[in-house]
Amino acid sequence: MSDKRYNTRRKAEVLEYLSQRRGEHVTAAEIRGHFLSRGENIGAATIYRQLDHLVSEGMVHKYALDEGSAACFEYAPGGKCAEGCFHCKCVSCGRLIHLHCHELQQVGGHLAAHHGFHLDFPRTVLYGLCGSCAEGRP
Amino acid sequence: MSDKRYNTRRKAEVLEYLSQRRGEHVTAAEIRGHFLSRGENIGAATIYRQLDHLVSEGMVHKYALDEGSAACFEYAPGGKCAEGCFHCKCVSCGRLIHLHCHELQQVGGHLAAHHGFHLDFPRTVLYGLCGSCAEGRP
DNA sequence: TTGCGTGCAAAGGTTTTGCATGGCA
DNA sequence: TGCCATGCAAAACCTTTGCACGCAA
């Protein structure tokens, strides 16, 4: 296993784009579309490879969503958003929502203390109905 | 939209197989393999269509796992396991664990009351490290 | 010069869709 | 008889892999 990494143009550009969309959830396809719409050719494989690198370097978070749907990535250098931040996905409209809640922070502590399960906040997505959809206006 | 549903052999057989594996998490491919190994031809589409029906009828739960991996289904008539039951997936060993916890039940209530988000317990999977893997013995 | 990065194309796996036929009500 | 269910094949979709060439160090 080699850890050697070059600092390349593509890597900088992908990170740059994600940092511009700070706080949003971005798919690999969206990233690619951004490049293509500017007339720049970029391979899908390159996007995925650089995203893998950025995730393993702790610059970007990856979210586990439904099978069949595309993965979401978010700019999060140094694990920002790791504590007290939940992600909720609406099963009706598909929106992915950030939720900051201090009360929920203790859930992680409870799981570890009483169930020996160490919750990975940034990786976890809660499914349910968002307020809008619950009221019947999707 | 028609809600008409026939009671067919395939539907009964799929439900029968899932009920035999009560408490386990089964993929569409496993179900299909079960039929094929008995020398019975069954189309993949049939499996998915019947699983959709069973899910919408509340007989079976579907779990949202990582993209790229197959979806998991579980026999759960009448929404059993709907309340106070969480599912935790270990990101290291891949195990999917049932977790019954009364303290966590209030999480759903809190989300609804304070954030307008209606958590879908059975659909949600918490990611993290299970006890075994956290101690370095996967 | 070394060897990772890139683009393209192809493959992989899961799930969905189209269509003709079969089976339930 | 009407209409859903089924099987097959093909397609869609997201992602990974192989390969030849390019580029960072």
Side-chain angles (χ1 to χ4, degrees), chain A residues 111 115-120, chain B residues 88-97 126-138:
Chain A
L111 279 172
H115 304 280
F117 188 81
H118 301 80
L119 185 58
D120 183 340
Chain B
C88 303
K89 182 167 187 182
C90 179
V91 297
S92 174
C93 67
R95 246 178 303 218
L96 190 51
I97 305 158
L126 305 177
Y127 287 85
L129 270 183
C130 72
S132 305
C133 292
E135 293 172 10
R137 44 177 173 81

Side-chain angles (χ1 to χ4, degrees), chain A residues 37 51 55 57 60 78 84 97 99 101 129:
Chain A
S37 71
L51 284 173
V55 167
E57 289 169 15
V60 166
I97 305 158
L99 202 75
C101 175
L129 269 184

